């Protein structure tokens, strides 16, 4: 159980509207983030002091309303999954999740712009019509995608079994409902047994030894969170002993929560 929080450092532009976080397993002490709707189609690697190590332009992608980023295992390196799933007016007939291989940042100096990497993607449709969502979880055991909605009376969890990311269109499957709404972010530990769900003033942890799908149906337990001005991002750390958060806004601190 987390018991303390530490401000690692202030995050400078071009990150001004951080809306997702994912802790790297490939690159030690790196977390990835991105800007919200209308920002560049780029991911940013943050060092342990909050400085920008690298900018990764994402080709074949548009930042319509990027709301979360997640890590998942790949054949050679981990994948980074980008959730273009925001839809404030519930008007988008489809939303997208992009996927890119995570680059190795060994020896890369601070503030490097990397060569663009082409994304693959899958398009999603909700049963019953469009919904606004901000939470993305990738199951590390089987590559299933989970999306958590925001503005429903209860935040709904939808599932897509292991999409191929070949540009296909997939109808999401209803999985479960949480007993609150306004979910702003979500993430899973590398083991898949714990899922973190973030709202404006709360972070809850869901646990099941049977993995992500079962965890979402478990009873949550509250975790430490110092409310941020507009915190819309959470990332479980690699060993699942703590987590990171980051708020939208200029020069916001990258926060780490520890046992």
């Amino acid at each position: 159980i987390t018991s303390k929080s530490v401000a690692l450092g202030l995050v400078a532009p071009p990150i001004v509207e951080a809306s997702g976080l994912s802790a790297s397993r490939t690159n030690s002490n790196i977390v990835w983030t991105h800007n919200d709707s209308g920002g560049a189609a780029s991911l940013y690697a943050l060092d342990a002091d909050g400085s920008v190590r690298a900018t990764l332009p994402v080709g074949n992608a548009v930042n319509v309303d990027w709301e979360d980023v997640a890590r998942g295992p790949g054949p050679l390196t981990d994948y980074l999954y980008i959730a273009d799933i925001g839809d404030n007016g519930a008007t988008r007939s489809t939303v997208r999740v992009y996927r890119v291989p995570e680059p190795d940042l060994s020896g890369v100096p601070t503030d490097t712009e990397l060569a663009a990497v082409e994304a693959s993607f899958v398009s999603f449709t909700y049963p019953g019509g469009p919904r606004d969502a901000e939470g993305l979880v990738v199951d590390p055991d089987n590559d299933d995608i989970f999306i958590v909605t925001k503005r429903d009376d209860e935040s709904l969890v939808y599932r897509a079994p292991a999409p191929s990311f070949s540009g296909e269109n997939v109808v999401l499957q209803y999985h479960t409902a949480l007993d609150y709404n306004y979910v702003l972010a979500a993430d899973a530990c590398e083991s898949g047994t714990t899922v973190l769900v973030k709202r404006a003033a709360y972070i809850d942890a869901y646990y099941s030894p049977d993995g992500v799908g079962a965890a979402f149906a478990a009873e949550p337990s509250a975790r430490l969170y110092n409310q941020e001005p507009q915190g819309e991002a959470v990332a479980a750390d690699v060993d699942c002993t703590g987590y990171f958060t980051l708020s939208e806004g200029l020069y916001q601190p990258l926060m780490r929560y520890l046992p």
Side-chain angles (χ1 to χ4, degrees):
I1 302 296
T2 47
S3 61
K4 63 180 179 181
S5 60
V6 178
L8 300 179
L10 301 182
V11 178
I15 301 160
V16 296
E17 202 176 1
S19 192
L21 279 179
S22 181
S24 176
R25 184 177 61 170
T26 301
N27 300 287
S28 179
N29 297 316
I30 291 289
V31 293
W32 291 92
T33 190
H34 56 81
N35 283 316
D36 206 334
S37 57
S42 295
L43 294 172
Y44 305 95
L46 303 180
D47 266 318
D49 62 357
S51 61
V52 179
R53 169 77 73 86
T55 299
L56 177 63
V58 180
N60 194 37
V62 177
N63 185 345
V64 177
D65 198 350
W66 288 13
E67 291 292 358
D68 209 352
V69 59
R71 183 190 72 237
L76 300 176
T77 183
D78 281 350
Y79 285 121
L80 296 171
Y81 293 76
I82 307 160
D84 189 356
I85 58 175
D87 189 9
N88 291 345
T91 59
R92 300 176 67 181
S93 58
T94 62
V95 293
R96 282 188 177 181
V97 174
Y98 296 100
R99 186 173 76 177
V100 296
E102 182 179 359
D104 183 353
L105 300 181
S106 301
V108 171
T110 297
D111 207 22
T112 294
E113 178 157 338
L114 303 169
V117 61
E118 290 292 298
S120 55
F121 69 88
V122 56
S123 295
F124 290 123
T125 302
Y126 292 95
R131 299 185 183 277
D132 187 30
E134 297 194 8
L136 174 74
V137 173
V138 177
D139 191 321
D141 291 330
N142 55 26
D143 300 329
D144 286 1
I145 302 290
F146 292 84
I147 292 175
V148 188
T149 69
K150 178 180 179 182
R151 298 178 191 273
D152 298 283
D153 291 338
E154 296 178 310
S155 282
L156 306 177
V157 182
Y158 289 91
R159 183 176 192 164
S164 67
F165 282 82
S166 58
E168 73 271 37
N169 291 284
V170 173
V171 178
L172 291 161
Q173 303 171 4
Y174 172 79
H175 182 67
T176 191
L178 308 181
D179 61 0
Y180 47 73
N181 61 6
Y182 240 73
V183 168
L184 301 174
D187 197 27
C189 288
E190 185 180 344
S191 65
T193 58
T194 300
V195 174
L196 299 176
V197 175
K198 187 186 181 305
R199 291 174 283 161
Y202 305 96
I203 291 175
D204 290 304
Y206 293 77
Y207 172 81
S208 171
D210 298 321
V212 170
F216 266 121
E219 287 296 317
S221 58
R223 292 292 186 265
L224 177 66
Y225 177 57
N226 302 322
Q227 189 169 352
E228 298 161 308
Q230 193 171 345
E232 296 191 2
V234 66
D237 64 17
V238 173
D239 59 7
C240 206
T241 59
Y243 44 92
F244 301 87
T245 66
L246 177 62
S247 177
E248 291 189 0
L250 283 167
Y251 296 103
Q252 294 298 312
L254 177 63
M255 300 296 299
R256 183 161 192 188
Y257 292 79
L258 299 162

